[in-house]
Amino acid sequence: MEGGIADPAGLALYPSHRCKTLYLIRHGQAVHNVAGEKNHKAYSFPEFFDAQLSPLGWDQVGNLRKHVNACGLAKKIELVVVSPLLRTMQTAVGVFGGEKFTNTSSSQTAVGSRHTISSSTSPPFIEVEYCQERMLPPFIAVEYCRERMGRNACDKRRSITEYSALFPEIDFSEIENDEDVYWKPDSRETDEQLAARGVTFLKWLWSRTEKEIAVVTHSAFLLETLRLFGNDTHPSIKTNEYLILSQIVSSDQWC
């Protein structure tokens, strides 16, 4: 996970055959976001370790799924790249995955795969049963697009062994370590380090053959990565909203 910050000078639109279309999606609202709005220190509380989606977050997943299917985007996506944290993977599989899930808080039907997510520290509505009937694009988990790492318990991931059982449709082969070796309890990534990681992620994307790629990630990662394209291209990121946008960048810039 090493890489320097690329010089953003000279970034420009290129002919479409030299570009990829990235659909950047911030995860739905998670339980730590709800607590953090009341007390910012809650992000570091151990009970929000690898925080799951909130009831509103699940509603957002259902709404976004309807949108990507209605506009035809679901059929265009060739690959879904996702940060290996619970809230992002729930969002990715919920929006682009199998056939249906049932949210026990409201009996809401949406999309997902065969597994049940539950936690002793989570309220009953977080327990979600999935039923896999079909797959859309392939899913791949990548450490490069994780949230800012360090200190906050909500940004520490579980083991890949545990995730693989919960999300059998996601390919974890790009992740080298079973346990989280990047999250540190006594330090946190700087803006510069996060931006450098964003550039490394973009370079990895350009090594892929797919042209239409959805990326399900986090607010800080998006903000710092998109700064490379100028202040007029990155939006204000809000806790209770999805961030969905299409960004076309020349692959030549990152080769």
Side-chain angles (χ1 to χ4, degrees), residues 122-137:
S122 300
F125 57 72
I126 294 301
E127 191 168 303
V128 180
E129 183 178 348
Y130 291 85
C131 181
Q132 179 174 325
E133 296 182 12
R134 65 184 174 90
M135 290 296 295
L136 292 174

Side-chain angles (χ1 to χ4, degrees), residues 89-98 111-113 130 139 167 169-170:
M89 292 189 291
Q90 287 175 325
T91 299
V93 172
V95 172
F96 295 105
V111 183
S113 64
Y130 291 85
F139 297 80
F167 299 96
E169 63 277 88
I170 297 179

Side-chain angles (χ1 to χ4, degrees), residues 2-19:
E2 298 178 352
I5 300 178
D7 181 2
L11 289 181
L13 291 179
Y14 281 68
S16 60
H17 68 278
R18 294 169 60 185
C19 300

Side-chain angles (χ1 to χ4, degrees), residues 189-210:
E189 281 184 301
T190 65
D191 291 347
E192 293 75 18
Q193 289 171 329
L194 189 54
R197 179 154 59 85
V199 170
T200 302
F201 175 66
L202 290 175
K203 290 180 178 180
W204 177 85
L205 282 179
W206 304 142
S207 74
R208 304 285 306 188
T209 59
E210 298 88 356

Side-chain angles (χ1 to χ4, degrees), residues 30-32 45-53 84-90 122 152-159 162-163 166-167 218:
V31 292
H32 72 297
F45 291 175
E47 58 263 37
F48 294 118
F49 161 63
D50 193 19
Q52 307 194 57
L53 293 180
L85 287 172
L86 191 51
R87 57 192 181 271
T88 40
M89 292 189 291
Q90 287 175 325
S122 300
N152 291 348
C154 58
D155 300 327
K156 179 177 172 60
R157 71 164 172 82
R158 302 165 196 260
S159 71
E162 185 173 358
Y163 283 151
L166 290 172
F167 299 96
H218 307 267

Side-chain angles (χ1 to χ4, degrees), residues 29-236:
Q29 185 196 63
V31 292
H32 72 297
N33 298 132
V34 179
E37 289 178 359
K38 301 175 183 178
N39 178 7
H40 192 268
K41 293 181 180 180
Y43 292 114
S44 64
F45 291 175
E47 58 263 37
F48 294 118
F49 161 63
D50 193 19
Q52 307 194 57
L53 293 180
S54 68
L56 176 59
W58 283 115
D59 288 340
Q60 292 170 331
V61 166
N63 291 335
L64 184 55
R65 169 172 170 75
K66 292 176 183 177
H67 172 71
V68 300
N69 280 277
C71 71
L73 180 59
K75 294 181 179 180
K76 293 176 60 178
I77 296 298
E78 301 172 61
L79 177 70
V80 177
V81 180
V82 59
S83 159
L85 287 172
L86 191 51
R87 57 192 181 271
T88 40
M89 292 189 291
Q90 287 175 325
T91 299
V93 172
V95 172
F96 295 105
E99 192 56 35
K100 66 180 180 179
F101 71 72
T102 299
N103 184 332
T104 60
S105 67
S106 62
S107 296
Q108 178 185 6
T109 298
V111 183
S113 64
R114 170 69 60 187
H115 50 73
T116 299
I117 301 169
S118 62
S119 169
S120 60
T121 60
S122 300
F125 57 72
I126 294 301
E127 191 168 303
V128 180
E129 183 178 348
Y130 291 85
C131 181
Q132 179 174 325
E133 296 182 12
R134 65 184 174 90
M135 290 296 295
L136 292 174
F139 297 80
I140 187 166
V142 177
E143 298 261 35
Y144 294 132
C145 62
R146 283 178 58 175
E147 180 61 291
R148 188 191 303 270
M149 290 184 281
R151 291 206 185 102
N152 291 348
C154 58
D155 300 327
K156 179 177 172 60
R157 71 164 172 82
R158 302 165 196 260
S159 71
I160 299 304
T161 299
E162 185 173 358
Y163 283 151
S164 296
L166 290 172
F167 299 96
E169 63 277 88
I170 297 179
D171 178 0
F172 294 96
S173 62
E174 289 285 333
I175 298 178
E176 297 180 356
N177 302 285
D178 188 52
E179 298 296 332
D180 189 351
V181 300
Y182 296 110
W183 185 92
K184 307 297 182 184
D186 55 355
S187 63
R188 192 154 172 81
E189 281 184 301
T190 65
D191 291 347
E192 293 75 18
Q193 289 171 329
L194 189 54
R197 179 154 59 85
V199 170
T200 302
F201 175 66
L202 290 175
K203 290 180 178 180
W204 177 85
L205 282 179
W206 304 142
S207 74
R208 304 285 306 188
T209 59
E210 298 88 356
K211 296 295 186 181
E212 303 270 345
I213 303 174
V215 178
V216 184
T217 181
H218 307 267
S219 57
F221 178 81
L222 287 169
L223 184 64
E224 295 306 323
T225 300
L226 293 178
R227 285 188 194 278
L228 297 170
F229 300 96
N231 291 331
D232 58 340
T233 59
H234 67 82
S236 173

